[in-house]
Amino acid sequence: MNYAVAALVAPPSPVSILSLNSFAPVELENGVKPIQPDYKWRLILAYDGTHYAGWQYQQSPPTVQCTVEKALIKATKLERKDLRLVGASRTDTGVHAWGQVAHFFTPFNYKNLEEIHAALNGLLPTDIRVREISPASAEFHARFSAKSKIYHYKIYNDSIMDPFQRHFAYHSVYKLNSAVMQEAAKYFVGKHDFSAFANASHNDRVPDPVKHIFRFEVKEMGALLQVEVEGSGFLYRQVRNMVALLLQIGKEAIPPGIVPHILASRDRKELAKYSLSAPPHGLCLVSINYDESHLLPPPDSPAYSYGRHHTIRKCKVPFY
């Protein structure tokens, strides 16, 4: 998104433009439209996606974006159209996040971000937390400034499911061969057309099917298998479809070499011959990486807020 400042002519004297975060025009009584500062703020969010219909805004069933916006409206006294909340990743129904990034606007500055941080977490349900709030530059965009995204998919590979993992890991009763899964995962690394691994999206915009996978690893941690993937971006349900194929390979139902064959087909129907999508609850958006220059705060901005600890004040107790 380009937050450009339009040139305004206001006779008889020119309007001086200050160097601020970003800008928005305001109508005055004499008809002149001077420049008013518009401040941008970055959020890092964590949420348990079990009870939400994904990130993207909708009233019913509830989504994470809708819930966060309601808290922001109460905390800032602004309307939704003024906040313009944007998330970096449109996580699907039931998918979790530890490092979702979003930005929003206010027409006013904050001297201290700890109070708004505490207010937001006080208003939000306990399955959504604001981990960090910080000032953002005009150039920063939560979605379009992202260089890469990291997702983890957890698989609990034992005959009996750990009840404490049931909302955050897929249960596979089949003994999986993690070595062949890792062998297959290497075929995904690099720049490929992932059309065969994308479900049809309800989004009108046609995405570029060519994505760059930087890292794809299968880590064994006792009964837990953690699939870690980092890429420049992902198509709709791409990660879950890649994991689903790895599960079939881990069961030794099909060989690792099937991956390049399916990639080359660029046909979702080809993948459907071997696997369906993995369930959403095992997937978590772990972090999003940005160019360091886009993370620099604007001048004269408040310090980042990572939350504050409460302390018990010592009181004087009479001596007995």
Side-chain angles (χ1 to χ4, degrees):
M1 187 178 292
N2 182 21
Y3 300 101
V5 180
L8 302 176
V9 179
S13 59
V15 178
S16 62
I17 298 178
L18 301 177
S19 175
L20 293 169
N21 192 323
S22 57
F23 304 89
V26 174
E27 187 78 36
L28 292 185
E29 293 180 1
N30 60 5
V32 177
K33 294 182 178 180
I35 299 299
Q36 179 173 344
D38 204 17
Y39 299 90
K40 188 187 288 187
W41 310 99
R42 180 171 51 250
L43 300 173
I44 297 181
L45 298 152
Y47 49 84
D48 174 352
T50 303
H51 302 296
Y52 296 96
W55 164 266
Q56 193 69 9
Y57 181 87
Q58 65 182 39
Q59 289 281 1
S60 181
T63 64
V64 178
Q65 182 179 359
C66 182
T67 308
V68 172
E69 282 186 357
K70 287 179 179 178
L72 280 168
I73 289 168
K74 288 182 179 179
T76 64
K77 310 301 181 186
L78 296 172
E79 295 182 22
R80 180 173 184 257
K81 63 180 178 63
D82 300 318
L83 291 166
R84 290 168 281 162
L85 179 69
V86 175
S89 183
R90 298 173 180 177
T91 54
D92 204 6
T93 299
V95 174
H96 315 294
W98 173 249
Q100 172 72 285
V101 179
H103 72 254
F104 70 96
F105 294 89
T106 62
F108 46 80
N109 198 0
Y110 286 102
K111 291 183 179 180
N112 186 314
L113 291 174
E114 286 189 347
E115 290 184 7
I116 181 69
H117 193 170
L120 287 173
N121 280 335
L123 291 164
L124 286 166
T126 54
D127 52 7
I128 302 176
R129 294 289 88 180
V130 176
R131 292 176 50 213
E132 180 184 318
I133 180 169
S134 58
S137 66
E139 293 76 24
F140 175 81
H141 190 284
R143 186 178 177 192
F144 299 128
S145 296
K147 290 177 62 180
S148 70
K149 299 176 183 178
I150 298 175
Y151 281 90
H152 288 181
Y153 194 97
K154 292 184 178 180
I155 304 159
Y156 196 80
N157 191 202
D158 202 356
S159 57
I160 299 173
M161 181 61 182
D162 179 347
F164 296 102
Q165 298 278 354
R166 71 189 189 280
H167 293 309
F168 307 103
Y170 167 67
H171 183 208
S172 174
V173 295
Y174 295 94
K175 186 62 180 175
L176 299 173
N177 184 335
S178 60
V180 294
M181 291 173 72
Q182 180 62 67
E183 182 184 345
K186 291 179 180 178
Y187 288 111
F188 289 114
V189 177
K191 190 176 287 188
H192 305 285
D193 184 324
F194 284 94
S195 297
F197 289 86
N199 283 25
S201 173
H202 301 296
N203 194 343
D204 294 331
R205 195 171 54 84
V206 178
D208 181 0
V210 177
K211 303 295 178 186
H212 193 162
I213 302 298
F214 305 116
R215 181 173 63 90
F216 205 143
E217 298 176 354
V218 180
K219 295 183 178 179
E220 193 168 3
M221 300 176 286
L224 196 67
L225 289 180
Q226 185 162 281
V227 179
E228 302 180 2
V229 57
E230 179 179 2
S232 60
F234 298 95
L235 301 171
Y236 183 54
R237 293 195 181 176
Q238 179 187 334
V239 177
R240 287 165 57 190
N241 287 331
M242 293 190 297
V243 169
L245 186 64
L246 290 185
L247 284 167
Q248 292 299 103
I249 293 169
K251 294 173 188 177
E252 300 183 344
I254 50 178
I258 199 71
V259 174
H261 166 74
I262 296 173
L263 279 170
S265 75
R266 302 180 183 179
D267 187 354
R268 179 67 180 83
K269 293 178 182 177
E270 189 64 25
L271 176 64
K273 295 177 183 178
Y274 305 98
S275 64
L276 301 174
S277 289
H281 67 281
L283 187 61
C284 180
L285 172 62
V286 174
S287 64
I288 300 172
N289 298 316
Y290 295 90
D291 192 312
E292 288 295 328
S293 63
H294 285 185
L295 296 178
L296 294 174
D300 302 321
S301 57
Y304 289 26
S305 174
Y306 304 99
R308 58 187 176 190
H309 292 282
H310 293 274
T311 57
I312 298 175
R313 294 182 179 179
K314 293 181 179 180
C315 57
K316 293 181 180 180
V317 180
F319 177 75
Y320 292 99

